[in-house]
């Protein structure tokens, strides 16, 4: 792990660097991204702006590092579909666990995901790539699952696996980002998950799940 000027950070330096990232993450959960300043992050971490600039070029650079780490974790979402089946009762369990894992990931990373979405919407290719890295981990696995069912004659031949998978992932991302909003519509979290899983199961298999 190196500083901005290329020096290798020692154990103490690495700890300071991580503390700065942790404090920034906390601030993003309660403050608009554009309002977070280097001096505020440094003060919260108990250090100085000069120390912050030893490790990051600016707030955006630190945000991107948090986002990259989060994306690496998000790539693990593909494990929710590896070796899983979409037939019978097991298919219903697959749909439920995918939804549960997806929503949980979004809740844990809500603050940084909002920043990533903002950057991607504004056309920043760095944030767009991070967002797609997360979504592709699920999208590609879902498309493969649909194509496999199609090859076995269990899904209509006119279905485009990539189009269906992309639509389902876009739906999951939109719902995951709006979880708190569902309460204002009278929808409890316990009610959201099974209904979302039903839509995913229908999208992948074209059939109601066997429960």
């Amino acid at each position: 792990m190196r500083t901005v000027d290329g020096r290798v950070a020692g154990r103490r330096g690495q700890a300071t660097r991580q503390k700065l990232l942790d404090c920034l993450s906390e601030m993003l959960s309660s403050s608009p991204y554009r309002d977070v300043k280097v001096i505020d992050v440094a003060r919260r971490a108990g250090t100085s702006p000069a120390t912050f600039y030893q490790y990051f070029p600016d707030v955006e650079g630190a945000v991107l590092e948090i986002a990259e780490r989060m994306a690496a974790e998000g790539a693990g979402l593909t494990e929710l579909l590896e070796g899983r089946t979409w037939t019978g009762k097991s298919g219903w369990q697959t749909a439920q666990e995918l939804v549960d894992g997806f929503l949980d990931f979004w809740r844990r990373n809500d603050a940084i995901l909002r920043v990533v979405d903002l950057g991607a919407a504004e056309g920043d290719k760095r944030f767009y790539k991070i967002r797609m890295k997360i979504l592709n981990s699920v999208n590609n696995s879902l498309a493969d699952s649909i194509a496999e069912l199609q090859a076995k004659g269990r899904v209509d031949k006119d279905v485009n696996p990539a189009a269906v998978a992309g639509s389902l992932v876009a739906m999951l991302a939109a719902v995951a980002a709006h979880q708190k909003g569902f309460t204002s519509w009278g929808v409890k979290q316990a009610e959201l998950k099974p209904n979302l899983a039903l839509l995913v199961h229908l999208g992948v298999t074209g059939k109601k799940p066997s429960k």
Side-chain angles (χ1 to χ4, degrees), residues 163-211:
V164 172
S167 298
L168 291 173
V169 170
M171 175 187 70
L172 284 169
V175 172
H178 195 66
Q179 290 182 70
K180 295 179 181 178
F182 277 88
T183 57
S184 66
W185 295 339
V187 180
K188 297 179 181 179
Q189 188 72 17
E191 299 169 327
L192 175 61
K193 290 182 181 180
N195 283 279
L196 188 55
L198 173 62
L199 292 175
V200 170
H201 189 280
L202 285 169
V204 173
T205 68
K207 300 176 182 179
K208 291 183 178 181
S210 300
K211 301 180 181 180

Side-chain angles (χ1 to χ4, degrees), residues 77-78 80-82 84 86 94 98 102 134-152 154-157 159-170 172 200 203-205:
L77 289 172
T78 188
L80 296 170
L81 295 170
E82 286 183 351
R84 304 299 300 270
W86 286 91
T94 298
L98 172 60
F102 206 94
I134 297 168
L135 299 184
N136 283 344
S137 65
V138 176
N139 183 83
N140 296 339
S141 295
L142 272 182
D144 289 343
S145 295
I146 296 169
E148 184 179 339
L149 291 171
Q150 193 175 48
K152 295 178 180 179
R154 294 175 180 172
V155 170
D156 192 285
K157 61 182 179 62
V159 167
N160 183 310
V164 172
S167 298
L168 291 173
V169 170
L172 284 169
V200 170
V204 173
T205 68

Side-chain angles (χ1 to χ4, degrees), residues 3-206:
T3 59
V4 171
D5 61 8
R7 291 180 293 108
V8 177
R11 183 177 299 178
R12 184 175 179 180
Q14 291 180 34
T16 299
R17 190 176 190 277
Q18 185 58 51
K19 187 172 184 179
L20 286 165
L21 289 174
D22 291 342
C23 289
L24 175 56
S25 293
E26 293 171 4
M27 294 177 72
L28 291 174
S29 65
S30 59
S31 303
Y33 163 53
R34 306 296 186 196
D35 291 348
V36 177
K37 307 299 180 186
V38 169
I39 189 171
D40 298 321
V41 179
R43 183 180 294 123
R44 185 158 184 161
T47 187
S48 67
T51 298
F52 180 97
Y53 286 119
Q54 285 183 21
Y55 303 105
F56 310 103
D58 47 35
V59 170
E60 187 175 75
V63 167
L64 281 167
E65 174 148 345
I66 296 171
E68 288 284 4
R69 292 185 182 184
M70 180 266 301
E73 178 191 347
L77 289 172
T78 188
E79 296 176 4
L80 296 170
L81 295 170
E82 286 183 351
R84 304 299 300 270
T85 179
W86 286 91
T87 58
K89 292 183 178 180
S90 295
W92 175 232
Q93 184 176 354
T94 298
Q96 291 183 94
E97 292 183 3
L98 172 60
V99 166
D100 191 45
F102 206 94
L103 295 183
D104 179 63
F105 173 78
W106 237 260
R107 278 196 304 274
R108 286 185 287 107
N109 297 284
D110 177 64
I112 189 63
L113 279 164
R114 280 189 280 106
V115 176
V116 169
D117 283 348
L118 174 63
E122 292 179 342
D124 190 314
K125 293 182 179 180
R126 298 169 300 175
F127 286 113
Y128 176 78
K129 288 179 179 179
I130 289 172
R131 190 174 196 278
M132 292 311 297
K133 182 178 181 180
I134 297 168
L135 299 184
N136 283 344
S137 65
V138 176
N139 183 83
N140 296 339
S141 295
L142 272 182
D144 289 343
S145 295
I146 296 169
E148 184 179 339
L149 291 171
Q150 193 175 48
K152 295 178 180 179
R154 294 175 180 172
V155 170
D156 192 285
K157 61 182 179 62
D158 294 326
V159 167
N160 183 310
V164 172
S167 298
L168 291 173
V169 170
M171 175 187 70
L172 284 169
V175 172
H178 195 66
Q179 290 182 70
K180 295 179 181 178
F182 277 88
T183 57
S184 66
W185 295 339
V187 180
K188 297 179 181 179
Q189 188 72 17
E191 299 169 327
L192 175 61
K193 290 182 181 180
N195 283 279
L196 188 55
L198 173 62
L199 292 175
V200 170
H201 189 280
L202 285 169
V204 173
T205 68

